[in-house]
Each structure stands twice: as C-alpha cells, then as structure tokens.
Amino acid sequence: DARVTQTPRDKVTEMGQEVTMRCQPILGHNTVFWYRQTMMQGLELLAYFRNRAPLDDSGMPKDRFSAEMPDATLATLKIQPSEPRDSAVYFCASGFGVGDTQYFGPGTRLTVL
Amino acid sequence: DQQVKQNSPSLSVQEGRISILNCDYTNSMFDYFLWYKKYPAEGPTFLISISSIKDKNEDGRFTVFLNKSAKHLSLHIVPSQPGDSAVYFCAASGGSNYKLTFGKGTLLTVNP
C-alpha cells in the first residue's frame, strides 16, 4: 500500500529556531507539493516540483521558507527563522502531474512558541 | 479571488439519509474535479473525481455530479454513515499542467 510519508508528525519549537520537515513521495510519482493548512486559509499551496525541479514557489514567504528535492525520494521544507504565525499543519502530496490526482501525507503539525 | 467555493462550512445529516455537498467554481478552464475527505490529524484522502466530459461518476455510495453550465458540482453520499463524518474538500484543475485549486472545505457530521 504505497503512501506518502512525512516526518516529524509533530514539532514544537521556539521562535527563531530552524525547522526542517521531510517528505517521502510515493515511488514513481514525479510531482511533489507542499501545502499548509490553517483555519483561515484552508489548504494553501506553498511550492511544487516536477521531476525534482521547482516549478512554483510563489506561495511561500521567500525570506524564511525554502523547499528542495535533494533526490527523487526526499522533499524538504525548511523555515529559518521560524515565527509563531508559521504554526500550522504542513502537508506533502505527490502525483503523476501538476493537475492530476494528488495523494497526501499525514502532515506535520508545527507549533512555534 | 476564490475560484473554488464551498459555501456551506458545515452540514449535519442523520445516518442512512443522503448527504449532499456542494461546490461552485468560477474558472471556465477547469476540466477536472476531485473530492477529498479529511479526518482530524490525517492528510486529505482522495475520494472520487470527474472529468468535464462526463456529468456523473459513481463509486459505491459516492456519486459526483457535474453541471458545467452552472459551474457547479456536488457529492452525494447514500446512505450516509457515521464514519463519513469528516471535512470534505472540493478541488479543480485546468489540465495536467495546472495546479489543483481547493475549496475551503465542508465539515460533514453524520449523526447515529
């Protein structure tokens, strides 16, 4: 049963600290997405990759967020420095195409104190 | 500019009855539509999809209807079960190179 995995599942940190979230997409999927879910905004698309190349990261605050795919089995989302307003659940999803069905991981719940 | 709208934040139905979740869109370029279900502390799970060349797609208790002229789709769950209680997201895309646009979700509660 192939699924997207994310680590850590929960992260509590203090303001100013660096946070790194990791995602392993489903093997064979060539498109990876990072979303953030908040009560006010619903699911916000932060960035996405196709064949490991970044296609669009316009949803991310550029000064503190960065997303990379070091290899086909790992995507990372980094926040440095973290702020309380970054507290949210961050989801990774993967699929065969940008507009095709996406399969989501369980999410990382981030709390910045 | 919210291109995919789910106007009902919540819906409550009795077990065994029909649940109807609605979604409206504004972008006429959208041609692929999906519904996701999300339980607390889990990621959204793909439920059912429909292409714009069809007006209905069925999978067990779940049926999605698409009305292109009204730019409206709906998800019917018959019969509803308590395990269906979750947040349902509608999503749409304009082709395989265009990202999915999600609605803000509708919380469905199915009462025993």
Side-chain angles (χ1 to χ4, degrees), chain A residues 9 35 37 40-43 45 48 50 56 58 91 97-106 109, chain B residues 32 34 36 38 41-46 49 87 89 93-100 102-104:
Chain A
R9 292 295 312 274
Y35 289 89
Q37 184 183 22
M40 296 299 294
Q41 299 294 330
L43 277 170
L45 178 62
Y48 56 101
R50 184 166 58 201
D56 187 348
S58 59
F91 291 106
V98 175
D100 293 334
T101 304
Q102 296 174 20
Y103 297 87
F104 284 77
R109 180 177 295 277
Chain B
Y32 182 58
L34 309 90
Y36 284 83
K38 185 184 180 305
E42 295 184 14
T45 304
F46 169 68
S49 64
V87 175
F89 290 98
S93 82
S96 61
N97 290 321
Y98 294 89
K99 60 188 180 183
L100 292 184
F102 284 85
K104 291 193 184 298

Side-chain angles (χ1 to χ4, degrees), chain B residues 41-63:
Chain B
E42 295 184 14
T45 304
F46 169 68
L47 195 55
I48 192 169
S49 64
I50 188 167
S51 160
S52 60
I53 61 172
K54 300 174 77 171
D55 53 20
K56 176 182 172 182
N57 189 25
E58 202 169 345
D59 183 2
R61 296 185 297 113
F62 302 90
T63 304

Side-chain angles (χ1 to χ4, degrees), chain A residues 7-59:
Chain A
T7 55
R9 292 295 312 274
D10 280 284
K11 176 74 176 178
V12 180
T13 191
E14 293 191 347
M15 183 173 65
Q17 296 297 304
E18 177 178 301
V19 175
T20 299
M21 290 170 267
R22 293 176 175 80
C23 166
Q24 182 171 16
I26 291 173
L27 191 64
H29 283 181
N30 65 352
T31 314
V32 176
F33 306 81
W34 282 105
Y35 289 89
R36 174 168 65 181
Q37 184 183 22
T38 62
M39 293 297 292
M40 296 299 294
Q41 299 294 330
L43 277 170
E44 293 177 82
L45 178 62
L46 299 175
Y48 56 101
F49 298 77
R50 184 166 58 201
N51 296 325
R52 294 176 55 202
L55 285 189
D56 187 348
D57 61 1
S58 59

Side-chain angles (χ1 to χ4, degrees), chain B residues 1-110:
Chain B
D1 176 27
Q2 213 180 327
Q3 297 188 64
V4 176
K5 293 180 188 176
Q6 295 178 256
N7 291 318
S8 298
S10 63
L11 174 68
S12 183
V13 299
Q14 285 299 119
E15 181 177 5
R17 298 288 185 98
I18 184 171
S19 295
I20 300 177
L21 297 108
N22 294 303
C23 179
D24 297 296
Y25 62 96
T26 57
N27 190 336
S28 57
M29 298 298 292
F30 287 152
D31 61 2
Y32 182 58
F33 305 88
L34 309 90
W35 285 94
Y36 284 83
K37 178 170 73 174
K38 185 184 180 305
Y39 293 120
E42 295 184 14
T45 304
F46 169 68
L47 195 55
I48 192 169
S49 64
I50 188 167
S51 160
S52 60
I53 61 172
K54 300 174 77 171
D55 53 20
K56 176 182 172 182
N57 189 25
E58 202 169 345
D59 183 2
R61 296 185 297 113
F62 302 90
T63 304
V64 56
F65 294 92
L66 176 62
N67 182 333
K68 289 186 288 293
S69 60
K71 294 192 176 67
H72 177 83
L73 67 156
S74 60
L75 175 68
H76 292 211
I77 307 174
V78 183
S80 302
Q81 299 173 354
D84 297 328
S85 298
V87 175
Y88 289 78
F89 290 98
C90 166
S93 82
S96 61
N97 290 321
Y98 294 89
K99 60 188 180 183
L100 292 184
T101 301
F102 284 85
K104 291 193 184 298
T106 296
L107 173 63
L108 172 66
T109 303
V110 180

